[in-house]
Amino acid sequence: GAVVSQHPSWVICKSGTSVKIECRSLDFQATTMFWYRQFPKQSLMLMATSNEGSKATYEQGVEKDKFLINHASLTLSTLTVTSAHPEDSSFYICSASTPSGHEQYFGPGTRLTVT
Amino acid sequence: DAKTTQPNSMESNEEEPVHLPCNHSTISGTDYIHWYRQLPSQGPEYVIHGLTSNVNNRMASLAIAEDRKSSTLILHRATLRDAAVYYCILRDWESSGDKLTFGTGTRLAVRP
């Protein structure tokens, strides 16, 4: 199946700093990518839909100025957590749709810890 | 997206079949039934999807009730690697496109 990678796999940062997470579709072009957040023992929560060449669509309650999403190419979307705080510590996961649309392929996730 | 109901947890013995149920009584005619699973500390993985007919692939089978108000994911021979959280998701292509809304899923434990 298709492969989606994320970088870094884990990151520790200090409160107040910004962190960028990359999501790449390695063997297919993804016009749409999705960003999820998952807290321990909870399910995935969709944060935003990232469309190549246009602004991301954020879910209700997600601060677009805090979670900056850029989808500059058909294989790369980035999520920047700005001015991170301990409550932003979470598992961030991206996904991308195949051209047929039925299957979504997920990245391995990025574990963010804010100290 | 229409809501799905799954048991919180299930257990199975290794090498035995597993039937994971999902109720979706408010399913609409355009909702596809998708199953994903998430192994510990990993991103979810696509398992199978269907609309009306039963579906088979190398990972599992999907049995869909005739009225489509429920479905069952079947793992024919559970292995330890199948221990994961299994999510049953309804997706209305027309209204929500590629968006997936995850519920709480079923945590499957496999006993050796």
Side-chain angles (χ1 to χ4, degrees):
Chain A
V3 178
V4 174
S5 70
Q6 280 185 243
H7 178 81
S9 56
W10 59 271
V11 58
I12 301 173
C13 71
K14 291 187 176 180
S15 188
T17 62
S18 295
V19 174
K20 180 185 284 189
I21 302 170
E22 293 186 349
C23 176
R24 293 182 185 272
S25 56
L26 297 185
D27 50 2
F28 66 99
Q29 293 185 330
T31 55
T32 304
M33 289 184 172
F34 302 88
W35 287 96
Y36 296 82
R37 181 166 55 178
Q38 185 175 34
F39 293 107
K41 306 293 185 185
Q42 295 186 24
S43 187
L44 284 79
M45 288 181 51
L46 179 66
M47 299 175 67
T49 302
S50 168
N51 296 297
E52 186 267 337
S54 64
K55 290 183 179 180
T57 303
Y58 291 82
E59 295 298 302
Q60 193 171 6
V62 177
E63 300 174 58
K64 62 180 181 181
D65 294 330
K66 180 170 182 62
F67 299 99
L68 301 180
I69 292 172
N70 183 278
H71 193 158
S73 77
L74 288 173
T75 59
L76 173 65
S77 176
T78 60
L79 168 68
T80 301
V81 182
T82 63
S83 186
H85 288 97
E87 57 265 31
D88 298 322
S89 298
S90 188
F91 194 46
Y92 291 87
I93 307 168
C94 72
S95 71
S97 294
T98 59
S100 72
H102 279 295
E103 302 172 25
Q104 273 194 30
Y105 291 93
F106 287 78
T110 296
R111 189 162 301 284
L112 169 64
T113 302
V114 184
T115 61
Chain B
D1 289 328
K3 185 175 173 58
T4 62
T5 304
Q6 299 177 251
N8 287 333
S9 62
M10 290 184 65
E11 283 191 346
S12 171
N13 294 319
E14 196 176 12
E15 299 188 4
E16 290 185 357
V18 183
H19 291 233
L20 297 164
C22 180
N23 287 320
H24 29 79
S25 58
T26 59
I27 190 170
S28 73
T30 52
D31 281 328
Y32 282 81
I33 302 162
H34 288 249
W35 283 82
Y36 284 78
R37 72 180 185 181
Q38 186 178 23
L39 278 64
S41 299
Q42 295 187 28
E45 173 185 31
Y46 168 83
V47 178
I48 202 166
H49 79 276
L51 183 61
T52 56
S53 303
N54 294 344
V55 184
N56 299 298
N57 66 18
R58 64 175 180 80
M59 288 183 69
S61 295
L62 176 60
I64 302 173
E66 197 168 330
D67 63 5
R68 299 209 326 127
K69 294 184 184 298
S70 65
S71 61
T72 302
L73 179 71
I74 303 166
L75 306 179
H76 296 286
R77 282 180 78 241
T79 68
L80 296 179
R81 194 196 172 278
D82 292 322
V85 179
Y86 287 78
Y87 297 98
C88 170
I89 302 169
L90 299 184
R91 197 183 84 189
D92 184 342
W93 178 271
E94 291 181 355
S95 66
S96 59
D98 296 347
K99 254 171 63 164
L100 295 175
T101 301
F102 285 80
T104 53
T106 296
R107 183 174 299 276
L108 175 66
V110 180
R111 292 184 291 257

